[in-house]
């Protein structure tokens, strides 16, 4: 099935530049400290050099145009102050009777893909004291990834929000997401918090992470599946976890799967709060620690992958094999090529050229373009399209002089080093 790229319809183009991520926020509901002028003043924002290749340009830009204060504002967590001063109210630290979830069959589930529906949902959420949230994300056909769906459940109803369609409007939910009187329940929010910032400009104040609760309770396993089985006696299947969530209209099965992720979560939250209190004979210390851990996760800041000349090292260090000078050179060149093309075409680096193929090319240093193709199965479309360019990079790497020890090692494997006209030695 051919899925049209959702990025094509985004009103605000995706920013894959090497400029660090700046929060997408221009209104700050529930502020106890106002948003810095950088975000509210359109004029200042417009001056951002969107198309420049940084970090060099970023450095210039910082020096020329901004006071240090502006720069700190730009990269700070917009709700740092509110989160630092958040205290857990008494009612959330004391024992309450768990409220049973409603049977799935009797619960309404709305699909939200218009601004009107979103505004109505926001109104509904303003009136509740807690709701559950989860996201589905796609990371293969996009450089930075795409938040495709947001699931929300109240005690009454489930909602599935098309966060591709409403990408530019979902910031409206900051009104409830940052309201300290409304608890937002997540399971394993680490990635969710970053995705909310990256795609939707959303922040969370007053969050409870059931994954952190499960850890504090030293359960045998900390997955949502496990909690669903233990506490709700429902069998979940993770068949669609890695499905392509960009697909529209959303198939019935995926719709049902997505809603189950939040449908039971408020009940699980109730039960785990009870367990955390029981664990310490009614003392709230352990429960308090889960609120704190959850707050720390809310304080996480999304940061964009920034390319530097050293970026390749992380991946290279994870390899067991030792590259010689030429192989390492090829690896660096391929890594830089892949990063550049991924940003330009808005594709993941894994789509442009998967790690194992990149390593194979660097290792084998094919003499012919056909040899590069032979390292890849199946051949990624952009590799096929740019095989001449790739071949030039491999050739460039082959021109690097090998160290004496590397030549000796190669000779032992049956290769004969070649002496160049200038006397230096060449590998095979
Ligand atoms: N996800 C992964 N790998 C995993 C589990 C989840 O990439 O092993 C991503 C998927 O993109 C999925 C999203 O859409 O996390 C949310 O997962 P869940 O919270 O619905 O389980």
């Amino acid at each position: 099935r051919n899925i049209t790229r959702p990025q094509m319809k985004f009103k605000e183009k995706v920013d894959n530049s090497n400029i660090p991520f700046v929060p997408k926020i221009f209104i700050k509901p529930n502020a106890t400290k106002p948003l810095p002028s950088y975000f509210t003043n359109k004029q200042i924002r417009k001056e951002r050099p969107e198309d420049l290749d940084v970090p060099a340009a970023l450095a210039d830009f910082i020096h020329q145009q901004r006071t240090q204060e502006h720069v700190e504002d730009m990269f700070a967590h917009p709700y740092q102050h509110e989160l630092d001063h958040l205290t857990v109210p008494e009612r959330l630290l004391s024992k309450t009777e768990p409220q049973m979830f409603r049977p799935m069959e009797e619960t309404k589930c709305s699909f939200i893909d218009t601004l009107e529906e979103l505004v109505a949902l926001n109104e509904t959420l303003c009136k509740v004291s807690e709701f559950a949230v989860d996201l589905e994300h796609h990371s293969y056909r996009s450089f930075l990834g795409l938040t495709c769906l947001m699931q929300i459940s109240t005690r009454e109803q489930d909602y599935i929000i098309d966060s591709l369609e409403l990408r530019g409007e979902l910031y409206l939910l900051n009104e409830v997401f940052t309201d300290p009187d409304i608890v937002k329940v997540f399971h394993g929010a680490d990635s969710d918090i970053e995705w909310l910032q990256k795609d939707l400009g959303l922040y969370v104040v007053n969050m409870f992470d059931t994954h952190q609760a499960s850890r504090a309770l030293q359960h045998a396993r900390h997955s949502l599946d496990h909690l669903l089985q233990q506490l709700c006696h429902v069998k979940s299947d993770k068949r669609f976890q890695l499905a392509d969530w960009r697909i529209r209209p959303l198939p019935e099965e995926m719709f049902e799967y997505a809603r189950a992720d939040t449908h039971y979560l408020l009940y699980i939250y109730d039960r785990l709060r009870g367990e955390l209190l029981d664990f310490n004979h009614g003392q709230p210390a352990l429960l308090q620690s889960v609120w704190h851990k959850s707050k720390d996760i809310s304080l996480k800041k999304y940061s964009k992958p920034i390319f530097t000349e050293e970026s390749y090292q992380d991946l290279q260090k994870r390899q067991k094999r030792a590259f010689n000078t030429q192989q390492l050179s090829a690896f660096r060149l391929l890594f830089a090529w892949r990063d550049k093309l991924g940003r330009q075409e808005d594709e993941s680096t894994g789509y442009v050229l998967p790690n194992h193929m990149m390593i194979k090319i660097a290792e084998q240093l094919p003499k012919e373009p056909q040899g590069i193709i032979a390292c890849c199965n199946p051949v990624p479309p952009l590799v096929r399209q740019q095989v001449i360019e790739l071949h030039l990079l491999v050739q460039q790497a082959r021109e690097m002089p090998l160290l004496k020890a590397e030549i000796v090692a190669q000779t032992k494997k049956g290769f004969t080093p070649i002496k160049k006209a200038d006397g230096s030695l060449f590998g095979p």
Side-chain angles (χ1 to χ4, degrees):
R1 181 151 180 185
N2 220 350
I3 297 173
T4 52
R5 293 169 64 77
Q7 297 97 308
M8 313 253 285
K9 289 213 285 172
F10 293 169
K11 273 168 237 141
E12 194 193 331
K13 288 287 149 260
V14 174
D15 177 11
N16 294 334
S17 72
N18 225 10
I19 301 177
F21 178 77
V22 176
K24 294 183 179 192
I25 186 168
F26 51 98
I27 321 173
K28 184 179 171 186
N30 303 300
T32 54
K33 186 180 174 186
L35 201 60
S37 61
Y38 170 80
F39 296 99
T40 49
N41 185 333
K42 272 208 183 93
Q43 195 52 44
I44 308 182
R45 264 189 295 147
K46 256 209 330 248
E47 286 167 20
R48 254 187 96 206
E50 305 286 356
D51 305 321
L52 294 181
D53 208 359
V54 228
L58 178 75
D60 277 355
F61 151 70
I62 287 171
H63 282 119
Q64 289 166 14
Q65 309 195 24
R66 302 280 166 267
T67 64
Q68 189 57 36
E69 189 189 1
H70 263 135
V71 173
E72 278 166 22
D73 286 349
M74 280 171 71
F75 299 109
H77 189 299
Y79 282 88
Q80 174 90 42
H81 182 265
E82 288 74 8
L83 284 163
D84 283 346
H85 292 84
L86 186 68
T87 49
V88 189
E90 200 50 46
R91 69 178 168 91
L92 297 177
L93 291 173
S94 50
K95 189 113 192 172
T96 49
E97 194 55 37
Q99 184 178 335
M100 192 59 195
F101 54 85
R102 293 183 55 171
M104 191 82 118
E105 317 78 64
E106 291 167 27
T107 310
K108 192 175 161 195
C109 184
S110 310
F111 189 70
I112 310 280
D113 63 352
T114 67
L115 180 56
E116 260 178 298
E117 293 165 328
L118 182 65
V119 168
L121 171 60
N122 187 53
E123 293 296 306
T124 305
L125 296 178
C126 279
K127 294 180 203 115
V128 303
S129 46
E130 63 270 307
F131 60 87
V133 187
D134 189 32
L135 301 175
E136 300 301 337
H137 186 263
H138 174 90
S139 55
Y140 188 54
R141 300 302 308 272
S142 144
F143 186 73
L144 298 172
L146 305 167
T147 301
C148 298
L149 286 185
M150 181 190 293
Q151 302 100 290
I152 288 184
S153 293
T154 64
R155 301 276 183 187
E156 295 301 313
Q157 219 197 299
D158 302 319
Y159 302 87
I160 295 184
I161 309 167
D162 187 340
S163 54
L164 292 171
E165 190 64 35
L166 294 173
R167 181 181 165 97
E169 282 83 33
L170 268 158
Y171 73 89
L172 287 171
L173 292 186
N174 265 333
E175 193 178 344
V176 284
F177 272 59
T178 64
D179 185 334
D181 294 328
I182 304 174
V183 176
K184 275 67 65 176
V185 181
F186 285 71
H187 181 86
D190 301 68
S191 303
D192 296 327
I193 290 294
E194 298 199 12
W195 296 338
L196 287 169
Q197 294 176 23
K198 164 173 73 78
D199 290 327
L200 312 171
L202 282 170
Y203 295 84
V204 185
V205 177
N206 199 7
M207 192 253 286
F208 186 92
D209 189 331
T210 52
H211 174 81
Q212 293 302 329
S214 168
R215 297 181 73 98
L217 288 163
Q218 298 168 25
H219 282 179
R221 292 174 49 211
H222 308 306
S223 66
L224 179 59
D225 292 27
H226 189 66
L227 290 170
L228 284 169
Q229 278 174 38
Q230 297 293 307
L231 304 179
C232 310
H233 308 291
V234 298
K235 184 109 191 70
S236 80
D237 77 271
K238 286 273 124 189
R239 254 185 314 149
F240 294 107
Q241 191 168 47
L242 298 179
D244 191 335
W245 289 99
R246 297 173 304 164
I247 199 165
R248 297 292 182 278
L250 199 61
E252 180 69 26
E253 281 183 311
M254 286 169 74
F255 184 86
E256 290 302 321
Y257 168 91
R259 98 185 257 212
D261 270 347
T262 51
H263 180 80
Y264 304 96
L265 208 52
L266 291 180
Y267 173 71
I268 291 175
Y269 158 67
D270 291 346
R271 288 283 304 270
L272 292 178
R273 262 186 311 150
E275 273 189 53
L276 286 160
L277 286 170
D278 292 344
F279 203 86
N280 276 12
H281 315 289
Q283 290 299 308
L286 197 60
L287 178 54
Q288 183 78 262
S289 79
V290 173
W291 285 109
H292 278 145
K293 287 239 164 65
S294 303
K295 182 171 79 177
D296 287 343
I297 295 170
S298 295
L299 276 167
K300 282 181 68 152
K301 283 194 288 181
Y302 170 68
S303 79
K304 207 200 275 192
I306 296 301
F307 179 83
T308 71
E309 282 307 318
E310 285 76 47
S311 296
Y312 74 93
Q313 287 174 353
D314 290 339
L315 179 58
Q316 191 235 326
K317 279 181 195 138
R318 278 189 269 137
Q319 301 308 309
K320 284 202 198 79
R321 34 175 108 57
F323 282 151
N324 70 27
T325 307
Q326 294 178 354
Q327 292 168 325
L328 186 60
S329 167
F331 185 79
R332 291 173 68 158
L333 291 166
L334 292 169
F335 191 95
W337 170 84
R338 178 175 89 156
D339 183 273
K340 184 166 169 233
L341 203 61
R343 288 177 196 268
Q344 191 181 304
E345 302 293 319
D346 198 14
E347 299 284 4
S348 66
T349 52
Y351 174 81
V352 178
L353 175 60
N355 287 345
H356 66 280
M357 296 183 193
M358 184 166 71
I359 289 158
K360 199 164 175 188
I361 298 171
E363 219 168 37
Q364 298 194 357
L365 298 169
K367 288 202 177 80
E368 310 291 336
Q370 191 46 46
I372 292 176
I373 299 290
C375 288
C376 306
N377 183 22
V379 185
L382 292 167
V383 167
R384 196 179 288 284
Q385 199 189 85
Q386 300 223 8
V387 68
I388 299 303
E389 171 72 22
L390 283 170
H391 178 239
L392 287 172
L393 295 177
V394 173
Q395 267 185 337
Q396 190 185 325
R398 295 180 67 93
E399 280 164 22
M400 295 290 291
L402 288 172
L403 301 173
K404 265 210 186 92
E406 291 172 346
I407 296 169
V408 171
Q410 297 236 358
T411 314
K412 280 188 185 150
K413 278 190 210 153
F415 295 114
T416 317
I418 300 156
K419 204 165 199 165
K420 280 209 305 180
D422 66 1
S424 66
L425 290 176
F426 243 46

